[in-house]
Amino acid sequence: MAVVKIEHLDIVFGNNLAKTLPLMDKGHSRDEILGMSGDVVGVQDANIEVNEGEICVLMGLSGSGKSTLLRAVNGLNKVARGRCLVKDGSDMVDMATCDEKTLRHMRTNRVSMVFQSFALMPWLTVLENVAFGLEMQGMALKDRLAKAKEQLDMVGLTQWADKKPDELSGGMRQRVGLARAFAMDTDVLLMDEPFSALDPLIRSQLQDELIELQKRLNKTIIFVSHDLDEALKIGTKIAIMESARIIQQGAPEQIVLNPATEYVEKFVAHTNPLNVLCGSALMTPLAELPKKEARFNVGENLWLALDAGQFQGVYNSEEEVASAQWAPGMRIEDMPANTVVRVDETINMRDAVEIRYHTNRPIVLENDGQCVGILSDHNFYHALLGKHFSRTETQ
Amino acid sequence: MDWLTDNKIPLGAWMESFIDWLVGSASGFFDLISFVLETMITSMVDSIMWAPPLAVIAIVLVGVWFLHHSIGLLVFITASLLLIINMGYWEETVQTLVLVISATAFSVLIGIPIGIAAAHRSWLYTILRPILDLMQTIPTFVYLIPTLILFGLGYVPGLISTVIFAIAAPIRLTYLGVSKVPSELLEAGLAFGCTKSKLLYKVELPAAMPSIMAGITQCIMLSLSMVVVAALVGADGLGKPVIRALNTVNISQGFEAGIAIVLVAIMLDRICKTPSMRKEG
């Protein structure tokens, strides 16, 4: 069920819309349009759908239009053309055309926002800052302070309630920003590079906290970032923008493995494969393994035997080699050495490498009980060298 | 060259006939304003003078204590006011303070809304800026003449001239404060559902408050600097003894009245500074 649905959305900064829109339709570039009409194209023909519970990350370099697109969702940026639908109960409200009253209703009850520079009111205490939006909802003073306090507890800043924002560190300030947005109880949360201004350690800590909070609260989040690792870590869907257009969108792994253009390829080139790739993307499929007497060669003097596609055993020249099964949640350290481990093909690369490190043996991947392929050192090296992320190599 | 001087543009004459026209057509209106303001100021002065000076000082001290919690400031104010009483300028000081405070009140009440309006509409500030420059740079004596004609002798022309001179400060600094509110605070306000008026009262004004307060403090100081000029058109206060001393070449009287003005200025400055401003420097 789509909570936010953006259809053919154009955003233009400037006063010559009548001149600019036809130029955009004729396919002129952003720079050409700036020269011809003096207008800046912020977003051009954006189409994207965000479903309930999804974290959609808008990625791109600065100036690519990602923050501009984000600001259309709560009506901070004026839409030139197209629709920006946000769910309100059972209806979808078009933020581009709705009246002032509806817009305010959507902002107070449906969509809240977290800012890159925190945007806390310096003259209010931390608690009052968190309660800021609640006042716009028309809540009584006592109720909103009580609710704000709950939110502060949630982000672990209870003792700081009476301090002013400038007494807090950057990470704490952004927690206040998060609490302020969460206090609104909106379904949709817009986050404009919320962690970019923080140092790396705090950033990764807040990312983890956000993921934890999201597990409990199940919001629909649109998140702007220029950091691919961040996008891969928290995003369930990624849209990559380049000069005002969305050039590729999809699941994180899909984007990393199949970059649509050179721009995306450059973006993903330096991704850490440990965070994104899963077993099925890494493996050598059974069909490609050398075969002898119905056994598959899975390593030096190691032979995999199957029974109607199901795992039967791994043998070296004389006898059977120990095997075990692993599923997410089990301790990898407990896997005995010199064991062939069977895992589901969706295993992430970090776990697979660690299993290989402990067992010293190739890993057998299964899908629904059927062996589908193996992971050996070669597969890991291939991935670690980033060869999965290059368009020419995967083709 | 001769042609240029022979064909003089009658700028001054135009202004004069404009003032004449005002006096002729709206003198009742100006008389009314004059009467209301004069009554207001004299009754304020009278009611303060009715109370014993020491009681007035005590009330001032209590107020200052609530604002600043500073013993040093209390000692200074007590000493200053006692010295003023000792020099025999208590009544003049009260008159001056009432004039300064009224002028500031009018300037602030008129100036802050104008400053806000100008910050929201850039065309308005484009129009205002040369007018404000004119009001501040034209020698005060020049507009003393028409205000004297329109409002007669007394406090009122002094008050009006003071307002004209001092109002630029709150307008400029309110404009500056409101137009310099960080855009992310405005965005945050809007994103959380502020209406236009909520945005003004909950975001723009609090964010601009330090600048607005600086404007008010400046306004008080500018008003005070007008007391001597206001005395020329008959406004009572500390300016009167200064003028009298000038006319009679009386060094001791001039010095004492001058000291009183300086003390009033320092007291007002210290009282107006908010604690946060003092911390910053």
Side-chain angles (χ1 to χ4, degrees):
Chain A
M1 173 77 200
V3 177
V4 177
K5 199 170 178 182
I6 291 170
E7 292 171 343
H8 301 293
L9 191 86
D10 293 333
I11 295 176
V12 176
F13 299 108
N15 305 315
N16 298 315
L17 267 190
K19 204 170 162 190
T20 304
L21 291 178
L23 289 173
M24 287 165 72
D25 292 338
K26 277 185 209 145
H28 288 286
S29 77
R30 215 182 184 185
D31 291 340
E32 286 168 355
I33 293 175
L34 179 63
M36 286 189 274
S37 73
D39 285 0
V40 176
V41 178
V43 173
Q44 183 166 5
D45 198 28
N47 288 285
I48 194 166
E49 240 179 70
V50 188
N51 295 319
E52 197 177 332
E54 258 188 335
I55 301 184
C56 171
V57 183
L58 301 177
M59 284 270 316
L61 301 176
S62 45
S64 59
K66 50 197 196 309
S67 292
T68 311
L69 179 57
L70 184 83
R71 279 165 167 69
V73 181
N74 65 355
L76 285 180
N77 277 347
K78 214 170 158 320
V79 170
R81 223 169 23 173
R83 305 207 293 168
C84 176
L85 302 171
V86 179
K87 195 175 145 208
D88 177 27
S90 53
D91 300 333
M92 296 295 276
V93 172
D94 186 359
M95 302 297 282
T97 53
C98 68
D99 57 33
E100 275 286 312
K101 209 173 145 230
T102 322
L103 186 64
R104 245 185 355 261
H105 163 75
M106 295 301 287
R107 283 169 174 172
T108 41
N109 298 299
R110 296 285 173 250
V111 186
S112 54
M113 189 160 176
V114 180
F115 295 83
Q116 177 178 11
S117 50
F118 321 128
L120 301 175
M121 312 295 164
W123 58 91
L124 297 178
T125 64
V126 166
L127 190 69
E128 288 164 340
N129 262 296
V130 177
F132 182 83
L134 298 174
E135 185 179 350
M136 306 305 153
Q137 287 181 345
M139 203 182 264
L141 179 68
K142 222 178 111 196
D143 297 341
R144 53 179 198 254
L145 289 183
K147 182 155 188 200
K149 209 167 163 304
E150 255 170 55
Q151 302 297 320
L152 268 189
D153 293 347
M154 194 176 76
V155 296
L157 289 176
T158 317
Q159 287 103 319
W160 297 82
D162 299 324
K163 296 270 186 285
K164 291 281 167 63
D166 59 6
E167 296 173 78
L168 271 60
S169 69
M172 287 174 170
R173 282 185 221 177
Q174 195 54 295
R175 284 209 187 96
V176 178
L178 281 174
R180 178 174 66 176
F182 279 121
M184 304 292 282
D185 272 336
T186 55
D187 319 319
V188 181
L189 203 57
L190 307 179
M191 308 185 85
D192 185 14
E193 303 205 25
F195 307 141
S196 303
L198 306 175
D199 53 73
L201 222 72
I202 304 287
R203 189 186 310 159
S204 118
Q205 194 185 339
L206 277 179
Q207 288 163 353
D208 293 336
E209 281 175 32
L210 178 67
I211 293 170
E212 278 307 306
L213 285 172
Q214 168 68 355
K215 274 186 198 154
R216 289 204 335 245
L217 304 170
N218 200 39
K219 306 267 180 196
T220 303
I221 299 178
I222 305 182
F223 191 107
V224 166
S225 176
H226 59 243
D227 175 1
L228 189 68
D229 283 317
E230 179 173 73
L232 295 170
K233 182 171 174 186
I234 62 173
T236 54
K237 177 181 198 170
I238 293 178
I240 298 203
M241 295 190 70
E242 184 195 8
S243 54
R245 289 172 177 277
I246 297 179
I247 47 174
Q248 191 178 7
Q249 54 179 304
E253 206 191 34
Q254 189 193 332
I255 288 194
V256 170
L257 291 176
N258 306 302
T261 68
E262 221 168 290
Y263 176 83
V264 183
E265 190 182 327
K266 267 189 211 149
F267 236 117
V268 302
H270 303 289
T271 326
N272 185 348
L274 288 172
N275 296 333
V276 269
L277 295 183
C278 75
S280 53
L282 292 167
M283 69 182 183
T284 310
L286 277 188
E288 290 173 18
L289 288 173
K291 222 170 147 183
K292 202 168 106 187
E293 295 165 10
R295 287 185 177 179
F296 296 91
N297 181 240
V298 295
E300 209 175 316
N301 204 11
L302 272 180
W303 300 89
L304 168 68
L306 297 182
D307 179 11
Q310 291 190 1
F311 181 86
Q312 195 216 334
V314 177
Y315 301 87
N316 62 20
S317 48
E318 298 92 37
E319 56 202 15
E320 188 173 353
V321 175
S323 67
Q325 198 152 18
W326 182 87
M330 288 167 67
R331 276 169 56 87
I332 291 173
E333 292 81 352
D334 296 344
M335 292 284 122
N338 295 315
T339 312
V340 172
V341 177
R342 295 152 58 198
V343 299
D344 193 83
E345 64 170 353
T346 56
I347 184 173
N348 67 46
M349 182 171 171
R350 189 179 292 276
D351 290 340
V353 169
E354 197 161 358
I355 291 173
R356 161 69 188 77
Y357 173 71
H358 279 282
T359 63
N360 264 322
R361 294 275 191 214
I363 297 165
V364 175
L365 295 180
E366 297 181 326
N367 176 10
D368 213 10
Q370 298 281 313
C371 282
V372 290
I374 65 148
L375 287 178
S376 61
D377 295 353
H378 176 75
N379 303 112
F380 294 135
Y381 296 147
H382 187 79
L384 285 171
L385 288 172
K387 296 195 186 283
H388 280 278
F389 304 146
S390 126
R391 282 193 297 159
T392 43
E393 296 257 346
T394 47
Q395 238 87 113
Chain B
M1 204 55 205
D2 285 345
W3 179 85
L4 204 59
T5 46
D6 289 347
N7 296 281
K8 185 179 173 299
I9 304 170
L11 279 176
W14 287 342
M15 192 65 199
E16 191 178 339
S17 50
F18 173 68
I19 297 293
D20 283 347
W21 174 79
L22 273 185
V23 172
S25 57
S27 64
F29 172 70
F30 287 109
D31 287 349
L32 180 70
I33 292 183
S34 186
F35 174 74
V36 170
L37 292 178
E38 187 82 28
T39 316
M40 192 190 80
I41 292 176
T42 45
S43 54
M44 272 163 73
V45 171
D46 289 348
S47 57
I48 296 177
M49 288 310 294
W50 170 82
L54 290 179
V56 176
I57 294 179
I59 293 172
V60 170
L61 290 180
V62 170
V64 171
W65 175 252
F66 273 109
L67 277 176
H68 292 286
H69 296 286
S70 157
I71 299 280
L73 187 58
L74 292 192
V75 172
F76 172 74
I77 289 177
T78 317
S80 307
L81 290 176
L82 290 178
L83 180 61
I84 284 171
I85 293 174
N86 177 266
M87 290 190 296
Y89 286 130
W90 175 249
E91 180 168 7
E92 284 82 352
T93 303
V94 170
Q95 288 161 341
T96 292
L97 281 173
V98 168
L99 191 63
V100 165
I101 290 168
S102 326
T104 306
F106 279 111
S107 303
V108 165
L109 285 178
I110 302 167
I112 290 182
I114 292 180
I116 295 170
H120 288 163
R121 301 165 187 77
S122 58
W123 60 266
L124 182 56
Y125 193 64
T126 321
I127 300 173
L128 267 178
R129 205 165 50 191
I131 300 176
L132 294 181
D133 288 340
L134 188 78
M135 277 159 57
Q136 282 199 302
T137 46
I138 208 165
T140 41
F141 294 101
V142 173
Y143 51 75
L144 224 46
I145 312 164
T147 45
L148 188 63
I149 294 172
L150 289 174
F151 298 102
L153 274 175
Y155 283 116
V156 181
L159 179 75
I160 303 279
S161 308
T162 306
V163 169
I164 293 175
F165 178 67
I167 199 170
I171 293 181
R172 273 186 219 275
L173 281 152
T174 305
Y175 164 81
L176 195 72
V178 174
S179 55
K180 289 275 151 55
V181 176
S183 63
E184 72 258 19
L185 290 188
L186 294 177
E187 277 196 333
L190 287 174
F192 284 96
C194 284
T195 56
K196 275 211 173 79
S197 66
K198 285 255 184 201
L199 195 67
L200 179 64
Y201 289 112
K202 295 287 172 185
V203 180
E204 293 181 290
L205 284 184
M209 202 38 89
S211 179
I212 294 176
M213 288 310 293
I216 296 176
T217 311
Q218 252 192 42
C219 182
I220 291 176
M221 290 301 138
L222 290 173
S223 305
L224 191 62
S225 70
M226 283 288 285
V227 284
V228 178
V229 178
L232 283 177
V233 286
D236 290 327
L238 287 169
K240 277 249 169 104
V242 174
I243 303 255
R244 225 176 289 132
L246 183 66
N247 290 340
T248 55
V249 201
N250 186 335
I251 295 176
S252 78
Q253 190 187 14
F255 181 73
E256 285 180 2
I259 287 282
I261 292 179
V262 169
L263 288 177
V264 170
I266 297 177
M267 279 189 286
L268 285 177
D269 181 63
R270 296 295 180 272
I271 293 172
C272 290
K273 273 191 180 156
T274 59
S276 64
M277 284 163 73
R278 216 178 312 130
K279 211 191 307 167
E280 281 157 21

